[in-house]
Amino acid sequence: GITPTLAVVLIGDSPASKVYVRHKKKGCEYVGLRSVSHEVSSDITEKALLSLIEDLNKDKTIHGILVQLPLPSHIDEDKVIMAIDPSKDVDGFHPMNVGNLSIGRDGFVSCTPAGIMVLLERTGIDISGKKCVIIGRSNIVGKPIGMLLTRANGTVTMCHSRTKDLQGECRQADILIAAIGKEKFITKDFIKEGAVIIDVGINRLADGTLCGDVDFDDCIEKASFVTPVPKGVGPMTITMLLKNCIKAAKNRAKS
């Protein structure tokens, strides 16, 4: 008798954000979830946005709240993330959920890292004991996927802009995760034979087409698996968002 409901807050008219939100709405419709959209002007005040979030926190018919990032420069992203009720934080960005992840307690896991883990598990890739290299240390992807891979007994190396000999680090990876936002940055020279490559990047080329951080055509013969862009990690991210929303509804029903 409960319909899990996701509230999506979209600030401004960024084309990329609108595409993401549209895919999320379609995902909800496909699996029978209800979605509620709040599309507001980019000049909304921080106070007004926080007030909207508080209203959604109090609304018992709303199980999950997603505020589409990035936000306009005049709004403090940390304040907005902190304002969302952790029990409705289906993006998994609230410090309480991040903390739960870090110590192995139950909570909402960020959707892209969660999707990556399902991709690896469903493909039959054993993470235990494997050398896992992550390029990018963001709070949204790099750090949480590092914790999840460690939890699965992978040996994790986190690379970033200050890493010395990035190519050398990548060439040791059994599992390489690219999340840096540089189009076709990873070529076959960065990978070893048979590596598993997860491409988290989404970059738009001059001709309007999308590509990832990995040069798919260059790497596909050398790697054992490579996720494509689009239609690779992206759909898994949305799937995990829907899963988190259903989990939030179940948790609410139990309480």
Side-chain angles (χ1 to χ4, degrees), residues 67 90 172 232 234:
V67 179
V90 289
Q172 296 180 52

Side-chain angles (χ1 to χ4, degrees), residues 23 25 37 44 72 88 121 127 129 144 155-156 159 246 253:
H23 284 315
K25 287 179 180 177
S37 182
I44 187 173
K88 296 188 178 188
E121 290 159 10
I127 299 167
T155 301
V156 176
C159 296
I246 292 166

Side-chain angles (χ1 to χ4, degrees), residues 6-230:
L6 173 68
V8 179
V9 180
L10 175 62
I11 298 100
D13 55 2
S14 160
S17 291
K18 283 191 170 183
V19 168
Y20 293 146
V21 168
R22 185 166 70 245
H23 284 315
K24 288 163 184 173
K25 287 179 180 177
K26 283 176 68 177
C28 284
E29 186 178 337
Y30 182 75
V31 299
L33 272 65
R34 174 175 163 253
S35 66
V36 177
S37 182
H38 294 270
E39 299 187 14
V40 298
S41 170
S42 59
D43 61 3
I44 187 173
T45 64
E46 183 177 273
K47 183 178 180 181
L49 178 57
L50 294 174
S51 177
L52 170 60
I53 292 170
E54 185 57 30
D55 289 342
L56 295 172
N57 284 339
K58 292 175 180 175
D59 188 338
K60 293 182 179 180
T61 68
I62 301 293
H63 301 101
I65 300 170
L66 182 151
V67 179
Q68 184 65 42
L69 304 178
L71 300 175
S73 58
H74 67 280
I75 296 176
D76 186 332
E77 191 172 288
D78 287 339
K79 274 189 186 177
V80 171
I81 290 171
M82 288 288 289
I84 298 171
D85 182 338
S87 71
K88 296 188 178 188
D89 169 41
V90 289
D91 253 338
F93 295 161
H94 193 284
M96 184 176 290
N97 284 314
V98 176
N100 283 334
L101 172 62
S102 71
I103 61 174
R105 292 182 60 184
D106 185 49
F108 294 114
V109 177
S110 300
C111 302
T112 296
I116 290 169
M117 294 301 289
V118 172
L119 273 173
L120 292 170
E121 290 159 10
R122 295 291 184 94
T123 311
I125 294 162
D126 183 15
I127 299 167
S128 183
K130 297 290 178 63
K131 173 79 170 178
C132 306
V133 174
I134 303 162
I135 314 175
R137 51 181 170 180
S138 73
N139 292 335
I140 293 174
V141 178
K143 290 175 185 174
I145 191 61
M147 288 189 278
L148 289 169
L149 290 167
T150 301
R151 187 190 288 183
N153 300 315
T155 301
V156 176
T157 299
M158 185 84 69
C159 296
H160 44 76
S161 59
R162 301 292 179 89
T163 298
K164 294 179 180 178
D165 190 18
L166 177 62
Q167 191 175 79
E169 293 287 353
C170 292
R171 285 176 66 88
Q172 296 180 52
D174 301 305
I175 300 170
L176 178 64
I177 296 172
I180 48 172
K182 293 185 178 180
E183 62 189 53
K184 300 185 179 182
F185 180 80
I186 301 298
T187 62
K188 64 183 178 184
D189 295 331
F190 279 76
I191 66 172
K192 72 176 184 181
E193 195 75 35
V196 174
I197 307 176
I198 304 291
D199 190 353
V200 185
I202 301 178
N203 309 285
R204 192 170 293 278
L205 300 175
D207 62 3
T209 58
L210 295 176
C211 75
D213 293 346
V214 176
D215 189 331
F216 184 93
D217 294 333
D218 195 49
C219 293
I220 188 64
E221 296 299 325
K222 194 173 183 181
S224 58
F225 293 95
V226 187
T227 60
V229 175

